[in-house]
Structure formats: C-alpha cells, structure tokens
Amino acid sequence: MTAEHDIYVTGMGATTPLGGDVSSTWSAMLEGRSGVTALEDDWAKQLTARLVARVAVEPTETLSRVEARRLDRCQQLALVAAREAWADSGLAGSAGDSNVDPERLAVVLGTGIGGALTLLGQDDVLEASGPRRVSPLTVPMLMPNSPAAAVGLDVGARAGVHAPVSACASGAEALAWAVDVIRAGRADVVVSGGTEACIHPLPMAGFGQMRALSTRNDDPEAASRPFDKGRDGFVLGEGAGVLVLERADHARARGAQVYGVLAGGGITSDAYHITAPDPVGSGAARAIGLALERGGLTRADIGHVNAHATSTAVGDLAEAQAIRAALGNDPVVTSTKSMTGHLLGAAGAVEAIATVLAIRDGIIPVTRNLDDPDDEIDLDLVRMTARKVSLDAAVSDSFGFGGHNVALAFCRA
C-alpha cells in the first residue's frame, strides 16, 4: 500500500486549546471537549463575534523568560510543539548532539499570518511613544518565517529552513513540502508543521466584517458546528502542531518509534475567488486525488477523512462535494475544529496529528455540536460519540483563502 520511499512520522508535538501536548489534546478530542470560551476583554465589547479558542497552557509556562521575551507568541507556540516532537522522536538535544547529521536536517514550518501581535503591538508603541521606543526585535519577531527560523535554530537544522504561507492550509502545506524535501534527497529528517497566534481586535474585526466568525456569543461551546444546519461561521483559535518526518531507512537504522507513514501530499489551487472556495470543490478533490496518487493509494484504501470543515456554510458544502467526488461516501468523516476552533496556519498540522492517531488507535473523534446535519452533506459523519473503526489509511484536508487546497494521505507503517 505504501509508496516506494516511505516517510515515517517518528515524533509529534502540539499545544492547542484542548491541551498543552499531544496526549492531552488527543484525550480531549476523544471525549468531545470544547476549547472555545467567551471573550471577556474590554476591547471585545464592540465586536460582533466575541468567542475564541486560546491555548490551554500558556507557552510562557514552558519557555524561559528570556526566550519568551524575544519571541512572538506564534514563535513561542511553535517552539513548545517542536520541542515536544523532537524529544518524542528520540532525537533529543541539538542536531550536533544526536544521531542526525545537521546538514541532513531541515525545518518546514508554516503560518498563515506570522507575528501579527508583534506588528500591531509595536505599531501602538510607535504611535504612543515614537520610533526610539520601538523594539529592535520587531522585525525578527513579525516575519512569517520567524517560527521556522526559531525551530531551526533550536534543533540546529542546516539543510534548509522553509516557511509556507498559504493561509489556513499553511500547516498542511508545510508537511507536503517536507515530503518533497526528503524524497528529493535534500534531508533525512524534517521537523514540520504549523503555528498561529493572532487573537487581537484587528484580525477579529476583519474576520467579523467578512461574516466568517460565529456570533453565537451566549453559547461558546456550541459555537463551532461543522456540517450542522445551524453553523454560522468559525471560532478563531491559536496553537501549533509539529511532526518529525524521517526517511524510513534512517528511522529503522536508529530503531525509532513509528507512528505511521505520511504517504503523500497533494497541493492544488482554485483560481476562483480570493476568499470563497470553488463551490463544487473541484480543486479540493484534485488535491485529494494527488495525495493518493503520490502515496500509492486508491480511494478504496481510505477509511477516514479529518475534514477541514470550519463551520462556514459555503466551505463545508464545497468540501463535502470534494470528498464525495474523490473518495465516494464510504470514508468516516469528522471535524476536530468543532472542539479546537480554527487554528488557521496551525490547523492542518494539528489535524494531521489527529489523523495519525486515529489510524494508530482505531478510533475517530466526534464532530461536536453536529445536532442536525445539513441535508446537502451526504457523508458518513461521526456524531455524538467517537467511533471505533479499523483503519489502514486516512486523509486530512486543509484549505485556505486564496484558493489553497492541500490533502495529506497517511497510512500504517
């Protein structure tokens, strides 16, 4: 079933609204818990949507004071997740201290927006106190490549540090890039994933003006409801997810644990609209098809889809059509955003982790708040409770403003 040049997942790390690591996040997903809360800040009073999904554990509780001060919040979250993944892979310490040649180690880590909190915060400083009060760390903290750079410095990666910026598909696109980096022979190991932290009045006002956010302000835990008739938009979240990907023979040689195989990634674009998806999902369906083709899989192999499904009316419907076109009605489908909210550039990486664990454990998390499924979404959706299944392969979908489509196909090792 797997491709000729297998790429193993040998480490995973995450910090999300459901937990400060992979284990706690996964347990919360299986229990169907929500990470969405009401915004109580004074600045939120004028917003139409006053709901967020903040990380369950503050990154400053894990990082040193000096590290936290020098990093934007999106970098902090990336570093927390990457350190968990790196330690989990058994490659502890910097590359020079481990059994990875630093020149064969790369980082591919995406973000949708980057250091927005630094940019907006330092603009406030400039307006209030003038240019001499602006932090000299402003630029390295706001750059979209700064999370990848921070992780690259931390692990000592010298085979390249890359930062895909493709809106809400960034984390998944990073993983697809990582596959290409290894298969092109440029690295043996790639630390890859996505991060995002932009809970601030400006992004929230912008998304609100687009009517992309749920306004179910009086019932936060019920606000994110993918595929449900009552869905009215997504909940803005923050977090990070990181996977260690490794060439199979390299992993076997060092006796690494193996969670699964990232068999293939498919990347396409809609060329349809700057924010709306192709309404029939043709670009998304092509991405799924490419992921299967590059992974040596067929649609009959796929038993599960972790859907992008943000809880917007048009997005969920287009994705449902794409899944039916590419895979038929048989795969069991869920949306973990019903619990995490939408983590933007981190979403694809966190959902990739959930997909790998679903295959490993044979259980698919519930789609929370799916009380009354949309009649037009004819899929086998997981409702009410997590579902036990026997899985050999699964797909994780991610899509982003600008028409970005990414699908990742995972299978057992």
Side-chain angles (χ1 to χ4, degrees), residues 227 303-309 319 323 327-335 364-367 370 377 379-383 387 397:
F227 302 129
H304 165 50
V305 176
N306 187 308
H308 183 69
E319 183 175 10
I323 292 171
L327 300 172
N329 292 40
D330 292 334
V332 181
V333 179
T334 193
S335 171
I364 299 172
V366 65
T367 306
L370 185 51
I377 295 173
L379 297 172
D380 184 2
L381 302 168
V382 183
R383 303 173 56 194
R387 190 187 303 182
D397 288 342

Side-chain angles (χ1 to χ4, degrees), residues 149-173:
V151 171
L153 285 166
D154 205 49
V155 299
R158 294 180 184 166
V161 171
H162 311 281
V165 179
S166 47
C168 307
S170 300
E173 186 158 326

Side-chain angles (χ1 to χ4, degrees), residues 3 14 20 29 45 50 69 94 108 117 154 161 175 177 217 232-233 244 249 278 295 315 327 357 362 387 402:
M29 285 181 176
K45 290 178 180 174
R50 298 186 293 280
R69 187 176 62 80
S94 67
V108 186
L117 300 185
D154 205 49
V161 171
L175 291 164
W177 276 31
N217 298 315
D232 69 337
V244 175
D249 61 330
D278 177 345
L327 300 172
L357 293 176
R387 190 187 303 182

Side-chain angles (χ1 to χ4, degrees), residues 63 66-73 75-76 79 141 150:
L63 302 173
V66 173
E67 286 176 324
R69 187 176 62 80
R70 298 173 67 87
L71 299 172
D72 182 86
R73 189 173 176 86
Q75 294 171 278
Q76 295 174 2
L79 206 54
M141 289 172 69

